[in-house]
């Protein structure tokens, strides 16, 4: 099987998020970058599937050269080769167009993405790629198995799951449960240095949106502590003060 | 602006989030002098279709082809895109639910429309079209300007209040073109705890962490939740160790929720957990460690042992309910 895994390069989950004074941009100083958590899950499952049945795993990232360490990490974890589309990701449509362009020319059996990127949280890229390539897609997938040319998947729904089948090729977005993320070992790290990382130039895409400004949520006022011996006071406060029960 | 909302249903009834997006769509329509159309797909009860009119839809389209009984994102997206063209919608609004998130990006590509996911407030239509959406998993908001002719917005459940009005809308059958190619995904089985309140839509959420020691102690969490009409949730390590299902995991890498009331029991309040729950309107923290970081992000706190405090809270809620029913 030939699998394409889309990885985005995002601030570490422990990052404190800050913006410039004009609120226009995100302060990247002091931020550690990682492979987006659900993309790590997708990558791990892609490796399991190809280890079992043979095949290759190509990772793709749309990003400027600051993402190369993140891409090398994916190679160290076990991807066969990598592609970087040399452009800062402007919006989901732009990113999807780059991935669809590359995938369209290099017939993959499956395009695996993460459920959402933890920076812009769009959950947009996977379905956009699918639509651009006229492929079926299954999102928020907790379990993925492939038999011949059919995938069987558990998709997350409100309060449960749905079991679906889908013919290959298809686009799948991964969430918790699909696989355990892998940590690169020494041999992986050594071999990642010599694995192919191809840089390609972006195709043009229409610009239909821009971020006007960022804001942080209002901090909460000081917590009101209630004595553990007087739980009734909490119920009273929730009813009469907060008015939520 | 003409607005089209895709209204989700469950067992033939409109979901709570459907009423919210109807009210939201109606507000944009009246703000900009346009009309709201709603589209429902699959089996929906007639009185539920009529109900959409009372939440602001001037027209309710119902696509009820036999093939459309079960959700298939690709096919549903085709139907909604066709309806949008039909009513010349300027804005298409969907819920930021699992289904909505699957369809909206496809509709955006079909209509060459920009998309704002996870909107939390009405757009500013004074000069252009700006939408406030969540970013960095609840750690921030972004105001995004959409400049395309058609725009797609997905609305976070619980972020806009549904309001019923004294109005009615006309229900019409909508017969879209059906493409067999759109039905590649086949649903085999739906596994659902149907008596449970859906976590993303819940107004009250009772959540437990590693402080509860083991899955056998969730009885009191479920009891408190059922007394309050709440959904249950948990921290990541709790679902990682299979004490609770993954679908209950909230936080940066789980679900992001914004209920009116979030009660966190035995959860330390790590930054990744807070990211997914910090937009809750009121937060209550019960933790035996006075230094737990969650107290800094809470409105009310009880420092104490959950195994003592929660049973007392259950008793007090029972008393409260008896006095207020
Ligand atoms: C990449 C990444 C992503 C992550 N994403 C998420 C996420 O999405 N969601 C998430 O929740 N976490 C996430 N985490 C994990 C997060 O960092 C914390 O480890 C986790 O939230 C801690 O869970 P907890 O509070 O249940 O457990 P703990 O940190 O172990 O806290 C247990 C708490 O219970 C209290 N306690 C113990 N006994 C009692 C008692 N008898 N009565 C009352 N209180 C008691 C303790 O004082 C303590 O504060 C992520 C971590 C990483 C690295
Ligand atoms: N810049 C990017 N490069 C490659 N893949 C991406 C990029 N951005 C997003 N993706 C993929 O699309 C998924 C969903 O991202 P998003 O739509 O941004 O929430 C991610 O989990 C990745 O798999």
């Amino acid at each position: 099987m030939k699998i394409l895994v889309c990885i985005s390069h995002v601030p570490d989950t422990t990052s404190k998020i800050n913006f410039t004074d004009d609120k226009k941009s995100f302060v990247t100083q002091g931020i550690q970058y990682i492979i987006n958590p659900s993309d790590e899950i997708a990558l791990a499952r892609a490796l399991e599937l190809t280890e079992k049945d043979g095949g290759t795993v190509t990772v793709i990232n749309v990003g400027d050269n600051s993402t190369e360490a993140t891409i090398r990490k994916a190679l160290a974890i076990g991807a066969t080769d990598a592609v970087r589309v040399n452009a800062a990701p402007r919006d989901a449509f732009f990113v999807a167009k780059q991935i669809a362009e590359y995938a369209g020319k290099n017939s993959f059996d499956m395009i695996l993405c993460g459920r959402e990127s933890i920076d812009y949280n769009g959950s947009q890229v996977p379905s956009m790629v699918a639509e651009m390539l006229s492929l079926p897609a299954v999102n928020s997938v907790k379990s993925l198995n492939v038999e011949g040319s059919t995938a069987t998947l558990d998709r997350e729904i409100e309060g449960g799951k749905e079991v679906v089948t889908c013919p290959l090729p298809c686009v799948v977005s991964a969430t918790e449960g699909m696989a355990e993320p892998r940590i690169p070992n020494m041999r992986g790290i050594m071999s990642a240095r010599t694995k192919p990382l191809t840089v390609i130039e972006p195709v043009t895409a229409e610009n239909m949106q821009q971020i006007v400004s960022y804001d942080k949520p209002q901090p909460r006022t000081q917590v009101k502590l209630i004595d553990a011996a007087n739980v009734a006071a909490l119920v009273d406060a929730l009813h009469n003060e907060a008015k939520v029960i | 602006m003409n607005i089209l909302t895709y209204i989700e249903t469950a067992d033939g009834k409109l979901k709570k989030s459907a009423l919210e997006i109807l009210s939201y769509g109606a507000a944009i329509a009246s703000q900009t002098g346009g009309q709201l159309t709603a589209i429902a797909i699959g089996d929906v009860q007639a009185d539920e279709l009529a109900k959409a009119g009372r939440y602001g839809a001037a027209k309710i389209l119902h696509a009820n082809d036999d093939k459309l009984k079960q959700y298939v994102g690709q096919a549903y997206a085709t139907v909604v895109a066709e309806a949008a063209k039909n009513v010349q919608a300027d804005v298409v609004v969907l819920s930021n639910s699992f289904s909505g998130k699957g369809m909206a990006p496809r509709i955006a590509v079909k209509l060459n429309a920009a998309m704002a996911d996870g909107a939390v407030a009405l757009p500013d239509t004074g000069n252009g079209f700006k939408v406030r959406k969540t970013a960095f998993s609840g750690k921030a908001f972004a105001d995004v300007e959409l400049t395309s002719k058609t725009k797609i917005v997905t609305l976070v459940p619980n972020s806009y209040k549904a309001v019923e009005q004294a109005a009615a809308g006309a229900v019409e059958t909508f017969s879209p073109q059906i493409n067999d190619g759109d039905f590649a995904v086949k649903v085999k089985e739906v596994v659902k705890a149907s008596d449970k309140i859906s976590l993303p839509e819940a107004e009250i959420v009772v959540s437990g962490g590693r402080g509860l020691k083991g899955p056998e102690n969730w009885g009191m969490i479920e009891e408190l939740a059922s007394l309050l009409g709440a959904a249950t949730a948990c921290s990541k390590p709790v679902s990682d160790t299979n004490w609770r299902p993954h679908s209950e995991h909230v936080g940066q890498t789980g679900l992001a929720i914004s209920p009116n009331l979030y009660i966190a029991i035995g959860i330390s309040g790590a930054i990744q957990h807070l990211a997914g729950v910090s937009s809750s309107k009121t937060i209550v923290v019960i933790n035996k460690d006075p230094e737990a970081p969650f107290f800094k992000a809470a409105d009310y706190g009880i420092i104490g042992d959950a195994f003592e405090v929660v049973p007392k809270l259950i008793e007090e809620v029972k008393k409260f309910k008896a006095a207020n029913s």
Side-chain angles (χ1 to χ4, degrees):
Chain A
M1 219 180 359
K2 211 175 140 193
I3 305 180
L4 181 67
V5 178
C6 306
I7 56 167
S8 66
H9 159 90
V10 297
D12 179 83
T13 58
T14 55
S15 306
K16 292 225 162 54
I17 304 299
N18 287 305
F19 302 105
T20 50
D21 287 341
D22 65 359
K23 296 172 144 195
K24 295 238 181 273
S25 28
F26 167 57
V27 178
T28 55
Q29 215 167 21
I31 298 282
Q32 282 269 13
Y33 279 87
I34 57 168
I35 302 176
N36 184 46
S38 55
D39 305 354
E40 270 194 312
I41 296 172
L43 175 60
R45 188 63 190 143
L47 293 170
E48 288 169 7
L49 289 173
T50 52
E51 281 160 8
K52 188 163 106 349
D53 297 328
T56 56
V57 176
T58 301
V59 292
I60 186 167
N61 168 260
V62 180
D64 58 27
N65 61 11
S66 67
T67 71
E68 291 214 351
T70 303
I71 301 174
R72 287 280 172 214
K73 185 173 172 205
L75 291 170
I77 290 171
T80 319
D81 58 359
V83 175
R84 179 170 68 81
V85 182
N86 188 24
R90 210 166 56 205
D91 56 41
F93 185 83
F94 177 84
V95 171
K97 187 146 184 209
Q98 308 311 324
I99 295 172
E101 178 75 19
Y102 176 80
K105 288 189 183 140
N106 291 277
S107 58
F108 290 93
D109 299 298
M110 192 183 289
I111 302 173
L112 261 170
C113 299
R115 178 195 63 158
E116 67 172 23
S117 55
I118 61 166
D119 48 2
Y120 297 102
N121 310 108
S123 299
Q124 295 191 28
V125 170
S127 297
M128 282 186 176
V129 170
E131 184 64 29
M132 288 169 182
L133 295 170
S134 296
L135 289 178
V138 187
N139 293 312
S140 258
V141 172
K142 311 202 272 192
S143 152
L144 161 67
N145 288 293
V146 179
E147 191 96 29
S149 60
T150 307
T152 302
L153 317 98
D154 288 357
R155 169 176 94 87
E156 206 173 352
I157 55 173
E158 281 80 11
K161 68 170 185 185
E162 201 173 78
V163 185
V164 304
T165 59
C166 181
L168 304 187
C170 62
V171 179
V172 171
S173 82
T175 191
E176 298 270 305
M178 183 189 273
E180 277 307 312
R182 292 187 180 186
I183 296 159
N185 58 27
M186 209 51 213
R187 223 185 54 188
I189 294 166
M190 297 303 288
S191 69
R193 291 189 195 153
T194 54
K195 282 181 179 172
L197 193 174
T198 313
V199 178
I200 58 177
E201 289 308 313
V203 291
T204 55
E206 204 180 327
N207 194 358
M208 297 187 282
Q209 58 175 278
Q210 54 266 339
I211 293 189
V212 182
S213 63
Y214 289 103
D215 238 330
K216 294 218 279 183
Q218 288 291 325
R220 279 175 205 266
T221 48
Q222 176 93 28
V223 60
K224 283 192 186 168
L225 287 178
I226 289 168
D227 193 337
N230 189 13
V231 176
L234 175 63
V235 176
D236 184 65
L238 293 177
H239 180 62
N240 290 315
E241 196 174 69
K243 299 191 177 5
V244 287
I245 61 169
Chain B
M1 291 180 144
N2 286 329
I3 318 295
L4 177 73
T5 57
Y6 163 62
I7 46 178
E8 285 179 40
T9 57
D11 307 319
K13 294 203 169 70
L14 297 183
K15 288 191 180 175
K16 182 174 154 253
S17 60
L19 304 181
E20 292 168 359
I21 61 166
L22 281 164
S23 302
Y24 182 84
I28 309 175
S30 84
Q31 184 175 305
T32 57
Q35 201 186 47
L36 172 68
T37 306
I39 177 159
I41 306 177
D43 282 328
V44 187
Q45 294 168 14
D47 54 335
E48 290 288 315
L49 291 170
K51 190 173 175 185
R54 294 201 303 281
Y55 284 84
K59 187 158 78 181
I60 301 107
L61 304 175
H62 185 205
N64 195 22
D65 192 281
D66 271 350
K67 287 200 149 163
L68 296 171
K69 289 210 182 310
Q70 247 166 339
Y71 171 83
V72 175
Q74 200 172 357
Y76 276 35
T78 302
V79 173
V80 175
E82 191 182 324
K85 284 186 187 148
N86 246 302
V87 302
Q88 297 180 325
D90 302 293
V91 185
V92 181
V93 185
L94 298 94
S95 168
N96 198 47
S97 61
F98 289 111
S99 319
K101 283 198 269 203
M103 297 161 69
R106 285 194 182 267
I107 300 170
V109 172
K110 284 177 196 288
L111 301 178
N112 199 30
M115 171 175 162
D117 55 277
V120 293
L122 278 178
D124 173 356
T125 52
N127 175 19
F129 190 94
K130 294 187 205 81
V131 198
R132 171 154 282 216
K133 57 154 277 174
T134 56
F136 296 96
S137 318
K139 290 180 186 173
F141 296 109
D143 289 319
V144 186
E145 166 134 45
L146 306 184
T147 51
S148 52
K149 183 172 176 299
T150 313
K151 300 149 181 85
I152 315 286
V153 177
T154 66
L155 179 69
V156 172
N158 272 329
S159 56
Y160 192 80
K161 206 165 172 45
V163 269
E164 194 168 348
Q165 303 168 344
V171 178
E172 282 174 27
T173 301
F174 180 64
S175 307
Q177 181 127 20
I178 301 285
N179 312 326
D180 287 334
D182 282 347
F183 294 88
V185 174
K186 300 245 177 331
V187 180
K188 296 292 161 193
E189 196 189 348
V190 180
V191 187
K192 213 167 178 176
S194 58
D195 55 329
K196 286 192 98 180
I197 293 168
S198 146
L199 178 55
E201 291 195 351
E203 291 184 356
I204 304 181
V205 174
V206 180
S207 186
R210 202 146 56 178
L212 289 167
K213 310 280 186 288
E216 66 282 4
N217 296 325
W218 246 262
M220 63 182 186
I221 300 295
E222 296 202 316
E223 187 179 356
L224 180 59
S226 104
L227 278 169
L228 292 169
T232 50
C234 67
S235 66
K236 180 169 156 60
V238 165
S239 64
D240 282 349
T241 46
N242 285 322
W243 293 0
R244 298 297 290 178
H246 272 297
S247 53
E248 284 195 1
H249 155 204
V250 292
Q252 187 158 15
T253 54
L255 280 175
I257 53 171
S258 42
N260 292 339
L261 174 59
Y262 182 72
I263 304 180
I265 303 168
I267 303 176
S268 58
I271 189 166
Q272 297 98 341
H273 185 86
L274 295 180
V277 303
S278 60
S279 61
S280 309
K281 277 150 216 109
T282 299
I283 294 181
V284 173
V285 168
I286 300 171
N287 196 306
K288 69 173 186 189
D289 174 10
E291 300 298 319
F294 220 146
F295 285 118
K296 291 206 175 69
D299 301 289
Y300 300 98
I302 294 183
I303 300 166
D305 187 332
F307 297 99
E308 286 162 25
V309 175
V310 177
K312 278 197 223 159
L313 183 55
I314 288 172
E315 286 318 306
E316 291 303 330
V317 172
K318 280 185 185 159
K319 274 194 229 162
F320 166 78
K321 286 188 71 176
N324 286 274
S325 60

